[in-house]
Amino acid sequence: WYEDYVSGRAEPYTRRSGDLLADLLGAGAGTCLDLCCGTGVRAATLRALGWTPFGVDLSRGQLRHAAGRMPVAAGDAAALPLATGSLPAVACSLAHTDLPDYAAVLREVFRVLRPGGRFVHVGVHPCFVGAFADWSQRPRVFVDERYADRSFTTEAWDPSGVRARVGAWHVPLADLLNGVTAAGLRLVRAAES
């Protein structure tokens, strides 16, 4: 169902977030780890930039789709099956809310990156993705006090969306940015789409 979702109903967003990934990552050579690769929808984007994509995901069901797009391995994002300092690039797209401890994942990204390597995180801004974000009066979005709740939930503003189906761990913006710097990564550029 997720493969159908990202290439169907959500395809415009899949394309837009892929364009942002391409802009932030840029051209390169060597292996780029597609961390939490899901069905591998980012493989073509990485390849077009000159990278050799390699995907890791915990979901063997999603990896069945991804394996047709790039080499893959089943693995935990917080304990990657990769050598320290072995990668020139890592990309993690639309996955931070799928992980119970994204700060641990960021530390693992730092571990597997070569010195000077690139890490790109593409995610929905934390204030727009939780049940605390009321979209009923578009274009206004109202955020309530549940923004501070970091727990897992399947509550969602869109009852037919991914978060209502699989749930999410909320990562407030400060936690996300502090996780980057605490892991030893250096923030070079931020962009909003």
Side-chain angles (χ1 to χ4, degrees), residues 21-30 45-46 48-51 89 118:
L21 171 65
D23 178 53
L24 291 169
L25 180 61
T45 299
L46 297 175
L49 293 168
W51 298 100
R118 300 180 210 175

Side-chain angles (χ1 to χ4, degrees), residues 151-178:
S151 62
F152 178 83
T153 184
T154 56
E155 289 183 57
W157 63 271
D158 179 359
S160 65
V162 171
R163 295 297 148 218
R165 186 164 182 162
V166 301
W169 278 273
H170 177 55
V171 183
L173 184 61
D175 290 2
L176 185 62
L177 295 175
N178 290 330

Side-chain angles (χ1 to χ4, degrees), residues 15-139:
R15 186 174 1 94
R16 193 172 101 205
S17 58
D19 291 345
L20 182 59
L21 171 65
D23 178 53
L24 291 169
L25 180 61
T31 300
C32 179
L33 173 62
D34 187 350
L35 184 59
C36 303
C37 68
T39 62
V41 297
R42 303 290 178 218
T45 299
L46 297 175
R47 206 172 280 112
L49 293 168
W51 298 100
T52 301
F54 173 73
V56 170
D57 202 287
L58 193 59
S59 170
R60 293 180 191 276
Q62 292 209 37
L63 288 175
R64 284 195 305 269
H65 294 278
R69 295 177 168 137
M70 65 182 146
V72 298
D76 183 339
L80 291 168
L82 299 163
T84 298
S86 61
L87 296 172
V90 176
C92 186
S93 185
L94 304 177
H96 74 279
T97 57
D98 297 323
L99 302 158
D101 186 357
Y102 195 59
V105 172
L106 292 168
R107 290 189 299 272
E108 191 65 354
V109 166
F110 179 79
R111 182 188 69 77
V112 301
L113 274 175
R114 290 180 187 155
R118 300 180 210 175
F119 170 61
V120 173
H121 162 97
V122 174
V124 178
H125 192 293
C127 74
F128 298 127
V129 296
F132 51 77
D134 178 354
W135 288 76
S136 64
Q137 295 183 36
R138 286 180 187 233

Side-chain angles (χ1 to χ4, degrees), residues 135-152:
W135 288 76
S136 64
Q137 295 183 36
R138 286 180 187 233
R140 292 187 176 123
V141 180
F142 294 93
V143 177
D144 67 36
E145 67 275 358
R146 293 176 295 169
Y147 179 80
D149 182 355
R150 293 160 173 82
S151 62
F152 178 83

Side-chain angles (χ1 to χ4, degrees), residues 7-18:
S7 59
R9 175 180 166 204
E11 192 280 329
Y13 185 72
T14 300
R15 186 174 1 94
R16 193 172 101 205
S17 58

